Amino acid sequence: MSAVKKPTNVHRGSSFTKFAREEGIIGDVRHSREKHATKFKFDLKAIIDDAKRRQHESGHKVVSFAKKK
């Protein structure tokens, strides 16, 4: 009998995806988001206003799409 070879791809529920969620990039993003929300006392309007202010101050071109008729 030959041994069953485990797949090498990353799939949902694997230990790698668990690591990525909890300890890796996703965990870092969640931590940063929580820290930023705490700064504004979880006030969504204040968070959005801050994002718009930072977007305007960045100096990058902002594209707005017209609504479809």
Side-chain angles (χ1 to χ4, degrees), residues 39-40 48-62:
K39 181 178 174 183
F40 295 98
I48 292 170
D49 290 344
D50 178 62
K52 287 180 180 180
R53 177 190 57 78
R54 289 183 293 120
Q55 181 182 39
H56 177 73
E57 290 176 356
S58 74
H60 292 113
K61 183 178 180 179
V62 178

Side-chain angles (χ1 to χ4, degrees), residues 13-30:
S14 73
S15 59
F16 177 79
T17 56
K18 183 177 179 183
F19 168 79
R21 277 195 310 267
E22 296 173 4
E23 304 292 331
I25 296 169
I26 296 172
D28 291 345
V29 170
R30 288 179 176 166

Side-chain angles (χ1 to χ4, degrees), residues 6 10 14 21 34 36 39-40 42 45-46 48 65:
K6 290 184 178 181
V10 176
S14 73
R21 277 195 310 267
E34 182 82 13
H36 188 255
K39 181 178 174 183
F40 295 98
F42 296 88
K45 183 176 180 340
I48 292 170
F65 296 99

Side-chain angles (χ1 to χ4, degrees), residues 31-44:
H31 176 75
S32 295
R33 184 180 60 201
E34 182 82 13
K35 187 176 174 182
H36 188 255
T38 302
K39 181 178 174 183
F40 295 98
K41 299 179 182 171
F42 296 88
D43 178 0
L44 187 56

